[in-house]
Amino acid sequence: MRELVIFFVLFLLGSCSPVQEKEHVEDETNVTIIFSDSLRQKTDFKPAPLYAIDSLEKKIITAGLVNIQTLIPDIIVDVRYSTPNNFMQRDMYGSLARIYLQPSVAEDLQKSQSALKEIDSTLSLYVYDGVRPRSVQQYMWDILEMPIHEKTKFVSNPKNGSLHNYGAAIDLTIADSSGVPLDMGAEYDDIRKIAYPRYEKAYLDSGLLTQYQVANRELLRKVMKAGGFWNIQTEWWHFNRYNRAKARELFEIVE
């Protein structure tokens, strides 16, 4: 009889809150296991590094210029002067990974992108450079070892202020659906005369440029003209939106 009473008391104790607490613990354990499994499945996942805005970019933003990708999300950006892959063969911009232009110039660039998409929706403008603060321009001018008459073909004298310094000029090309730049017969920042639009016919006649390469350059000029830009005669990739006098009237140089 005494054993029966003990059994009955233990049965009552076992049917009360301690069991519920145990079930609650098991639920928490299950949640933890599921969470751990989820983490285990994502061990190869690495979050993208946070983008840090440095002093150069802060200067550009403070001057009122805009990141072109906020206005033209499908445009491709490759900031070459943030790498050694340019004719200066050194990093000029540091961590800058965005292209900035004056707001009105960015809006006109959007027109050029739209004009290109109307011709071929698989193509996109592919941008190398936009605003270039004069402090960077000065550094480029100082270290570029060329005779003055040659140097001014590729880097404007910072005393005068270039259209890049105003955020009113842009360097770019066209890319295909895979994001690969079209063949222009000369790479970006190529200082050889084969990159000069003024010599295209001569190079075409000699066979050093193909009709396909020239046609790609002509397409770039056509769609940029739709946004009000024009090409210079020593760089197939460089387009101005305003002349220097108009840029000076409308904008301030980004120092």
Side-chain angles (χ1 to χ4, degrees):
M1 183 65 178
R2 181 171 175 273
E3 289 80 8
L4 183 60
V5 170
I6 292 172
F7 176 81
F8 183 73
V9 170
L10 290 175
F11 175 80
L12 289 175
L13 289 173
S15 63
C16 295
S17 58
V19 173
Q20 293 175 356
E21 290 176 0
K22 183 173 182 292
E23 288 175 352
H24 181 66
V25 171
E26 287 178 350
D27 287 344
E28 288 180 344
T29 303
N30 289 337
V31 170
T32 303
I33 292 172
I34 292 171
F35 182 66
S36 299
D37 288 344
S38 177
L39 287 177
R40 193 176 300 117
Q41 291 170 2
K42 296 181 179 180
T43 51
D44 295 333
F45 173 76
K46 295 181 180 179
L50 295 176
Y51 184 82
I53 296 177
D54 63 11
S55 58
L56 181 69
E57 190 165 358
K58 286 178 183 176
K59 181 189 299 185
I60 294 169
I61 295 170
T62 300
L65 280 75
V66 297
N67 171 10
I68 63 172
Q69 288 179 303
T70 61
L71 191 63
I72 319 168
D74 57 347
I75 204 166
I76 301 172
V77 164
D78 177 9
V79 188
R80 285 291 184 86
Y81 284 91
S82 290
T83 76
N85 187 16
N86 55 69
F87 87 106
M88 301 297 298
Q89 297 184 341
R90 65 182 71 194
D91 179 353
M92 309 298 298
Y93 287 163
S95 64
L96 181 67
R98 297 167 177 163
I99 299 290
Y100 287 85
L101 292 171
Q102 294 289 348
S104 62
V105 179
E107 290 172 3
D108 291 333
L109 183 63
Q110 185 179 38
K111 296 174 186 175
S112 294
Q113 174 80 333
S114 297
L116 178 60
K117 292 292 185 180
E118 287 177 8
I119 294 170
D120 188 335
S121 62
T122 68
L123 301 178
S124 175
L125 294 177
Y126 185 112
V127 186
Y128 296 114
D129 198 17
V131 69
R132 182 185 303 153
R134 183 152 58 178
S135 55
V136 176
Q137 188 93 6
Q138 184 67 57
Y139 181 53
M140 293 171 69
W141 180 264
D142 292 343
I143 67 174
L144 187 60
E145 297 180 357
M146 274 184 181
I148 293 293
H149 70 280
E150 287 293 323
K151 186 185 295 193
T152 53
K153 294 177 183 178
F154 307 103
V155 180
S156 294
N157 190 327
K159 291 181 180 179
N160 303 323
S162 80
L163 289 167
H164 274 299
N165 301 157
Y166 287 99
I170 189 166
D171 295 346
L172 77 172
T173 187
I174 295 173
D176 63 20
S177 59
S178 300
V180 177
L182 300 186
D183 183 0
M184 299 291 181
E187 294 296 321
Y188 172 60
D189 260 1
D190 190 331
I191 64 174
R192 297 176 301 155
K193 286 185 170 59
I194 196 170
Y196 289 26
R198 67 164 60 123
Y199 295 136
E200 282 172 3
K201 186 178 185 308
Y203 279 105
L204 182 61
D205 291 343
S206 70
L208 294 175
L209 280 178
T210 68
Q211 188 59 57
Y212 172 72
Q213 292 164 338
V214 173
N216 288 338
R217 294 187 187 190
E218 290 173 342
L219 175 61
L220 179 60
R221 291 194 286 266
K222 178 179 180 179
V223 299
M224 291 306 288
K225 184 178 179 181
F229 297 84
W230 66 89
N231 194 205
I232 66 171
Q233 289 301 302
T234 55
E235 299 173 345
W236 61 257
W237 55 84
H238 179 105
F239 290 81
N240 296 328
R241 178 60 187 89
Y242 299 102
N243 60 36
R244 191 167 291 155
K246 188 64 175 179
R248 190 180 298 118
E249 175 188 329
L250 295 173
F251 313 120
E252 297 288 336
I253 284 180
V254 179
E255 299 291 352

